[in-house]
mmCIF file with all atom_site columns, all heavy atoms in Angstrom:
data_model
loop_
_atom_site.group_PDB
_atom_site.id
_atom_site.type_symbol
_atom_site.label_atom_id
_atom_site.label_alt_id
_atom_site.label_comp_id
_atom_site.label_asym_id
_atom_site.label_entity_id
_atom_site.label_seq_id
_atom_site.pdbx_PDB_ins_code
_atom_site.Cartn_x
_atom_site.Cartn_y
_atom_site.Cartn_z
_atom_site.occupancy
_atom_site.B_iso_or_equiv
_atom_site.pdbx_formal_charge
_atom_site.auth_seq_id
_atom_site.auth_comp_id
_atom_site.auth_asym_id
_atom_site.auth_atom_id
_atom_site.pdbx_PDB_model_num
ATOM 1   N N   . ASP A 1 174 ? 10.924 5.965   -19.229 1.00 89.00 ? 600 ASP A N   1
ATOM 2   C CA  . ASP A 1 174 ? 11.897 5.806   -20.307 1.00 89.00 ? 600 ASP A CA  1
ATOM 3   C C   . ASP A 1 174 ? 13.102 5.053   -19.743 1.00 89.00 ? 600 ASP A C   1
ATOM 4   O O   . ASP A 1 174 ? 13.881 5.598   -18.957 1.00 89.00 ? 600 ASP A O   1
ATOM 5   C CB  . ASP A 1 174 ? 12.325 7.177   -20.827 1.00 89.00 ? 600 ASP A CB  1
ATOM 6   C CG  . ASP A 1 174 ? 13.291 7.085   -21.996 1.00 89.00 ? 600 ASP A CG  1
ATOM 7   O OD1 . ASP A 1 174 ? 13.717 5.956   -22.345 1.00 89.00 ? 600 ASP A OD1 1
ATOM 8   O OD2 . ASP A 1 174 ? 13.636 8.137   -22.559 1.00 89.00 ? 600 ASP A OD2 1
ATOM 9   N N   . THR A 1 175 ? 13.243 3.802   -20.126 1.00 90.00 ? 601 THR A N   1
ATOM 10  C CA  . THR A 1 175 ? 14.319 2.978   -19.565 1.00 90.00 ? 601 THR A CA  1
ATOM 11  C C   . THR A 1 175 ? 15.707 3.514   -19.912 1.00 90.00 ? 601 THR A C   1
ATOM 12  O O   . THR A 1 175 ? 16.682 3.232   -19.204 1.00 90.00 ? 601 THR A O   1
ATOM 13  C CB  . THR A 1 175 ? 14.198 1.522   -20.044 1.00 90.00 ? 601 THR A CB  1
ATOM 14  O OG1 . THR A 1 175 ? 14.204 1.496   -21.480 1.00 90.00 ? 601 THR A OG1 1
ATOM 15  C CG2 . THR A 1 175 ? 12.903 0.898   -19.536 1.00 90.00 ? 601 THR A CG2 1
ATOM 16  N N   . ASN A 1 176 ? 15.806 4.293   -20.982 1.00 92.00 ? 602 ASN A N   1
ATOM 17  C CA  . ASN A 1 176 ? 17.106 4.873   -21.357 1.00 92.00 ? 602 ASN A CA  1
ATOM 18  C C   . ASN A 1 176 ? 17.627 5.818   -20.274 1.00 92.00 ? 602 ASN A C   1
ATOM 19  O O   . ASN A 1 176 ? 18.847 5.950   -20.088 1.00 92.00 ? 602 ASN A O   1
ATOM 20  C CB  . ASN A 1 176 ? 16.994 5.616   -22.681 1.00 92.00 ? 602 ASN A CB  1
ATOM 21  C CG  . ASN A 1 176 ? 16.732 4.673   -23.844 1.00 92.00 ? 602 ASN A CG  1
ATOM 22  O OD1 . ASN A 1 176 ? 17.233 3.548   -23.867 1.00 92.00 ? 602 ASN A OD1 1
ATOM 23  N ND2 . ASN A 1 176 ? 15.940 5.115   -24.811 1.00 92.00 ? 602 ASN A ND2 1
ATOM 24  N N   . GLU A 1 177 ? 16.725 6.491   -19.577 1.00 91.00 ? 603 GLU A N   1
ATOM 25  C CA  . GLU A 1 177 ? 17.131 7.403   -18.512 1.00 91.00 ? 603 GLU A CA  1
ATOM 26  C C   . GLU A 1 177 ? 17.785 6.633   -17.363 1.00 91.00 ? 603 GLU A C   1
ATOM 27  O O   . GLU A 1 177 ? 18.724 7.136   -16.723 1.00 91.00 ? 603 GLU A O   1
ATOM 28  C CB  . GLU A 1 177 ? 15.927 8.190   -17.996 1.00 91.00 ? 603 GLU A CB  1
ATOM 29  C CG  . GLU A 1 177 ? 15.315 9.135   -19.021 1.00 91.00 ? 603 GLU A CG  1
ATOM 30  C CD  . GLU A 1 177 ? 14.152 9.926   -18.443 1.00 91.00 ? 603 GLU A CD  1
ATOM 31  O OE1 . GLU A 1 177 ? 14.013 9.981   -17.204 1.00 91.00 ? 603 GLU A OE1 1
ATOM 32  O OE2 . GLU A 1 177 ? 13.370 10.487  -19.228 1.00 91.00 ? 603 GLU A OE2 1
ATOM 33  N N   . PHE A 1 178 ? 17.311 5.435   -17.119 1.00 93.00 ? 604 PHE A N   1
ATOM 34  C CA  . PHE A 1 178 ? 17.888 4.615   -16.062 1.00 93.00 ? 604 PHE A CA  1
ATOM 35  C C   . PHE A 1 178 ? 19.249 4.059   -16.499 1.00 93.00 ? 604 PHE A C   1
ATOM 36  O O   . PHE A 1 178 ? 20.205 4.041   -15.717 1.00 93.00 ? 604 PHE A O   1
ATOM 37  C CB  . PHE A 1 178 ? 16.928 3.474   -15.705 1.00 93.00 ? 604 PHE A CB  1
ATOM 38  C CG  . PHE A 1 178 ? 15.654 3.940   -15.067 1.00 93.00 ? 604 PHE A CG  1
ATOM 39  C CD1 . PHE A 1 178 ? 14.593 4.386   -15.839 1.00 93.00 ? 604 PHE A CD1 1
ATOM 40  C CD2 . PHE A 1 178 ? 15.523 3.956   -13.688 1.00 93.00 ? 604 PHE A CD2 1
ATOM 41  C CE1 . PHE A 1 178 ? 13.417 4.824   -15.257 1.00 93.00 ? 604 PHE A CE1 1
ATOM 42  C CE2 . PHE A 1 178 ? 14.356 4.392   -13.084 1.00 93.00 ? 604 PHE A CE2 1
ATOM 43  C CZ  . PHE A 1 178 ? 13.301 4.830   -13.868 1.00 93.00 ? 604 PHE A CZ  1
ATOM 44  N N   . THR A 1 179 ? 19.322 3.623   -17.725 1.00 92.00 ? 605 THR A N   1
ATOM 45  C CA  . THR A 1 179 ? 20.580 3.098   -18.259 1.00 92.00 ? 605 THR A CA  1
ATOM 46  C C   . THR A 1 179 ? 21.679 4.154   -18.206 1.00 92.00 ? 605 THR A C   1
ATOM 47  O O   . THR A 1 179 ? 22.824 3.863   -17.836 1.00 92.00 ? 605 THR A O   1
ATOM 48  C CB  . THR A 1 179 ? 20.384 2.625   -19.711 1.00 92.00 ? 605 THR A CB  1
ATOM 49  O OG1 . THR A 1 179 ? 19.361 1.635   -19.757 1.00 92.00 ? 605 THR A OG1 1
ATOM 50  C CG2 . THR A 1 179 ? 21.672 2.049   -20.273 1.00 92.00 ? 605 THR A CG2 1
ATOM 51  N N   . ALA A 1 180 ? 21.314 5.382   -18.562 1.00 93.00 ? 606 ALA A N   1
ATOM 52  C CA  . ALA A 1 180 ? 22.286 6.477   -18.557 1.00 93.00 ? 606 ALA A CA  1
ATOM 53  C C   . ALA A 1 180 ? 22.806 6.770   -17.158 1.00 93.00 ? 606 ALA A C   1
ATOM 54  O O   . ALA A 1 180 ? 23.916 7.312   -16.998 1.00 93.00 ? 606 ALA A O   1
ATOM 55  C CB  . ALA A 1 180 ? 21.650 7.731   -19.148 1.00 93.00 ? 606 ALA A CB  1
ATOM 56  N N   . SER A 1 181 ? 22.036 6.420   -16.137 1.00 93.00 ? 607 SER A N   1
ATOM 57  C CA  . SER A 1 181 ? 22.444 6.648   -14.746 1.00 93.00 ? 607 SER A CA  1
ATOM 58  C C   . SER A 1 181 ? 22.965 5.380   -14.077 1.00 93.00 ? 607 SER A C   1
ATOM 59  O O   . SER A 1 181 ? 23.143 5.346   -12.853 1.00 93.00 ? 607 SER A O   1
ATOM 60  C CB  . SER A 1 181 ? 21.264 7.207   -13.943 1.00 93.00 ? 607 SER A CB  1
ATOM 61  O OG  . SER A 1 181 ? 20.863 8.472   -14.442 1.00 93.00 ? 607 SER A OG  1
ATOM 62  N N   . ASP A 1 182 ? 23.201 4.327   -14.893 1.00 95.00 ? 608 ASP A N   1
ATOM 63  C CA  . ASP A 1 182 ? 23.712 3.049   -14.371 1.00 95.00 ? 608 ASP A CA  1
ATOM 64  C C   . ASP A 1 182 ? 22.792 2.448   -13.311 1.00 95.00 ? 608 ASP A C   1
ATOM 65  O O   . ASP A 1 182 ? 23.256 1.919   -12.292 1.00 95.00 ? 608 ASP A O   1
ATOM 66  C CB  . ASP A 1 182 ? 25.127 3.214   -13.799 1.00 95.00 ? 608 ASP A CB  1
ATOM 67  C CG  . ASP A 1 182 ? 26.152 3.533   -14.874 1.00 95.00 ? 608 ASP A CG  1
ATOM 68  O OD1 . ASP A 1 182 ? 26.028 2.976   -15.981 1.00 95.00 ? 608 ASP A OD1 1
ATOM 69  O OD2 . ASP A 1 182 ? 27.047 4.358   -14.614 1.00 95.00 ? 608 ASP A OD2 1
ATOM 70  N N   . ILE A 1 183 ? 21.497 2.555   -13.545 1.00 96.00 ? 609 ILE A N   1
ATOM 71  C CA  . ILE A 1 183 ? 20.506 1.982   -12.635 1.00 96.00 ? 609 ILE A CA  1
ATOM 72  C C   . ILE A 1 183 ? 19.737 0.900   -13.382 1.00 96.00 ? 609 ILE A C   1
ATOM 73  O O   . ILE A 1 183 ? 19.124 1.159   -14.419 1.00 96.00 ? 609 ILE A O   1
ATOM 74  C CB  . ILE A 1 183 ? 19.528 3.055   -12.111 1.00 96.00 ? 609 ILE A CB  1
ATOM 75  C CG1 . ILE A 1 183 ? 20.286 4.128   -11.323 1.00 96.00 ? 609 ILE A CG1 1
ATOM 76  C CG2 . ILE A 1 183 ? 18.454 2.407   -11.227 1.00 96.00 ? 609 ILE A CG2 1
ATOM 77  C CD1 . ILE A 1 183 ? 19.435 5.332   -10.951 1.00 96.00 ? 609 ILE A CD1 1
ATOM 78  N N   . LYS A 1 184 ? 19.806 -0.299  -12.872 1.00 97.00 ? 610 LYS A N   1
ATOM 79  C CA  . LYS A 1 184 ? 19.083 -1.415  -13.485 1.00 97.00 ? 610 LYS A CA  1
ATOM 80  C C   . LYS A 1 184 ? 17.616 -1.344  -13.082 1.00 97.00 ? 610 LYS A C   1
ATOM 81  O O   . LYS A 1 184 ? 17.299 -1.185  -11.905 1.00 97.00 ? 610 LYS A O   1
ATOM 82  C CB  . LYS A 1 184 ? 19.694 -2.743  -13.026 1.00 97.00 ? 610 LYS A CB  1
ATOM 83  C CG  . LYS A 1 184 ? 18.992 -3.972  -13.585 1.00 97.00 ? 610 LYS A CG  1
ATOM 84  C CD  . LYS A 1 184 ? 19.615 -5.244  -13.010 1.00 97.00 ? 610 LYS A CD  1
ATOM 85  C CE  . LYS A 1 184 ? 18.871 -6.481  -13.503 1.00 97.00 ? 610 LYS A CE  1
ATOM 86  N NZ  . LYS A 1 184 ? 19.433 -7.731  -12.897 1.00 97.00 ? 610 LYS A NZ  1
ATOM 87  N N   . ILE A 1 185 ? 16.720 -1.464  -14.055 1.00 96.00 ? 611 ILE A N   1
ATOM 88  C CA  . ILE A 1 185 ? 15.293 -1.423  -13.758 1.00 96.00 ? 611 ILE A CA  1
ATOM 89  C C   . ILE A 1 185 ? 14.681 -2.823  -13.920 1.00 96.00 ? 611 ILE A C   1
ATOM 90  O O   . ILE A 1 185 ? 14.983 -3.533  -14.878 1.00 96.00 ? 611 ILE A O   1
ATOM 91  C CB  . ILE A 1 185 ? 14.552 -0.396  -14.651 1.00 96.00 ? 611 ILE A CB  1
ATOM 92  C CG1 . ILE A 1 185 ? 13.091 -0.260  -14.215 1.00 96.00 ? 611 ILE A CG1 1
ATOM 93  C CG2 . ILE A 1 185 ? 14.678 -0.727  -16.125 1.00 96.00 ? 611 ILE A CG2 1
ATOM 94  C CD1 . ILE A 1 185 ? 12.391 0.935   -14.826 1.00 96.00 ? 611 ILE A CD1 1
ATOM 95  N N   . GLU A 1 186 ? 13.892 -3.222  -12.942 1.00 96.00 ? 612 GLU A N   1
ATOM 96  C CA  . GLU A 1 186 ? 13.192 -4.495  -12.976 1.00 96.00 ? 612 GLU A CA  1
ATOM 97  C C   . GLU A 1 186 ? 11.699 -4.250  -12.801 1.00 96.00 ? 612 GLU A C   1
ATOM 98  O O   . GLU A 1 186 ? 11.286 -3.290  -12.135 1.00 96.00 ? 612 GLU A O   1
ATOM 99  C CB  . GLU A 1 186 ? 13.702 -5.419  -11.868 1.00 96.00 ? 612 GLU A CB  1
ATOM 100 C CG  . GLU A 1 186 ? 15.169 -5.787  -11.997 1.00 96.00 ? 612 GLU A CG  1
ATOM 101 C CD  . GLU A 1 186 ? 15.609 -6.735  -10.889 1.00 96.00 ? 612 GLU A CD  1
ATOM 102 O OE1 . GLU A 1 186 ? 14.760 -7.499  -10.397 1.00 96.00 ? 612 GLU A OE1 1
ATOM 103 O OE2 . GLU A 1 186 ? 16.790 -6.680  -10.510 1.00 96.00 ? 612 GLU A OE2 1
ATOM 104 N N   . TRP A 1 187 ? 10.903 -5.145  -13.392 1.00 96.00 ? 613 TRP A N   1
ATOM 105 C CA  . TRP A 1 187 ? 9.447  -4.990  -13.340 1.00 96.00 ? 613 TRP A CA  1
ATOM 106 C C   . TRP A 1 187 ? 8.834  -6.072  -12.461 1.00 96.00 ? 613 TRP A C   1
ATOM 107 O O   . TRP A 1 187 ? 9.117  -7.252  -12.630 1.00 96.00 ? 613 TRP A O   1
ATOM 108 C CB  . TRP A 1 187 ? 8.854  -5.071  -14.747 1.00 96.00 ? 613 TRP A CB  1
ATOM 109 C CG  . TRP A 1 187 ? 9.470  -4.094  -15.700 1.00 96.00 ? 613 TRP A CG  1
ATOM 110 C CD1 . TRP A 1 187 ? 10.380 -4.361  -16.672 1.00 96.00 ? 613 TRP A CD1 1
ATOM 111 C CD2 . TRP A 1 187 ? 9.251  -2.679  -15.748 1.00 96.00 ? 613 TRP A CD2 1
ATOM 112 N NE1 . TRP A 1 187 ? 10.747 -3.213  -17.332 1.00 96.00 ? 613 TRP A NE1 1
ATOM 113 C CE2 . TRP A 1 187 ? 10.070 -2.156  -16.782 1.00 96.00 ? 613 TRP A CE2 1
ATOM 114 C CE3 . TRP A 1 187 ? 8.461  -1.788  -15.013 1.00 96.00 ? 613 TRP A CE3 1
ATOM 115 C CZ2 . TRP A 1 187 ? 10.095 -0.802  -17.113 1.00 96.00 ? 613 TRP A CZ2 1
ATOM 116 C CZ3 . TRP A 1 187 ? 8.482  -0.442  -15.332 1.00 96.00 ? 613 TRP A CZ3 1
ATOM 117 C CH2 . TRP A 1 187 ? 9.291  0.035   -16.364 1.00 96.00 ? 613 TRP A CH2 1
ATOM 118 N N   . MET A 1 188 ? 7.989  -5.664  -11.562 1.00 95.00 ? 614 MET A N   1
ATOM 119 C CA  . MET A 1 188 ? 7.299  -6.614  -10.689 1.00 95.00 ? 614 MET A CA  1
ATOM 120 C C   . MET A 1 188 ? 6.313  -7.443  -11.511 1.00 95.00 ? 614 MET A C   1
ATOM 121 O O   . MET A 1 188 ? 5.657  -6.929  -12.420 1.00 95.00 ? 614 MET A O   1
ATOM 122 C CB  . MET A 1 188 ? 6.558  -5.850  -9.587  1.00 95.00 ? 614 MET A CB  1
ATOM 123 C CG  . MET A 1 188 ? 5.989  -6.711  -8.509  1.00 95.00 ? 614 MET A CG  1
ATOM 124 S SD  . MET A 1 188 ? 7.276  -7.431  -7.475  1.00 95.00 ? 614 MET A SD  1
ATOM 125 C CE  . MET A 1 188 ? 6.261  -8.254  -6.254  1.00 95.00 ? 614 MET A CE  1
ATOM 126 N N   . ASN A 1 189 ? 6.230  -8.730  -11.181 1.00 94.00 ? 615 ASN A N   1
ATOM 127 C CA  . ASN A 1 189 ? 5.302  -9.635  -11.873 1.00 94.00 ? 615 ASN A CA  1
ATOM 128 C C   . ASN A 1 189 ? 4.346  -10.232 -10.848 1.00 94.00 ? 615 ASN A C   1
ATOM 129 O O   . ASN A 1 189 ? 4.764  -10.896 -9.895  1.00 94.00 ? 615 ASN A O   1
ATOM 130 C CB  . ASN A 1 189 ? 6.089  -10.745 -12.567 1.00 94.00 ? 615 ASN A CB  1
ATOM 131 C CG  . ASN A 1 189 ? 5.207  -11.634 -13.422 1.00 94.00 ? 615 ASN A CG  1
ATOM 132 O OD1 . ASN A 1 189 ? 3.995  -11.678 -13.255 1.00 94.00 ? 615 ASN A OD1 1
ATOM 133 N ND2 . ASN A 1 189 ? 5.810  -12.349 -14.354 1.00 94.00 ? 615 ASN A ND2 1
#
Side-chain angles (χ1 to χ4, degrees):
D600 183 354
T601 57
N602 292 325
E603 295 182 16
F604 293 83
T605 302
S607 297
D608 293 323
I609 299 171
K610 179 183 177 183
I611 186 167
E612 297 181 29
W613 305 104
M614 189 70 176
N615 186 341

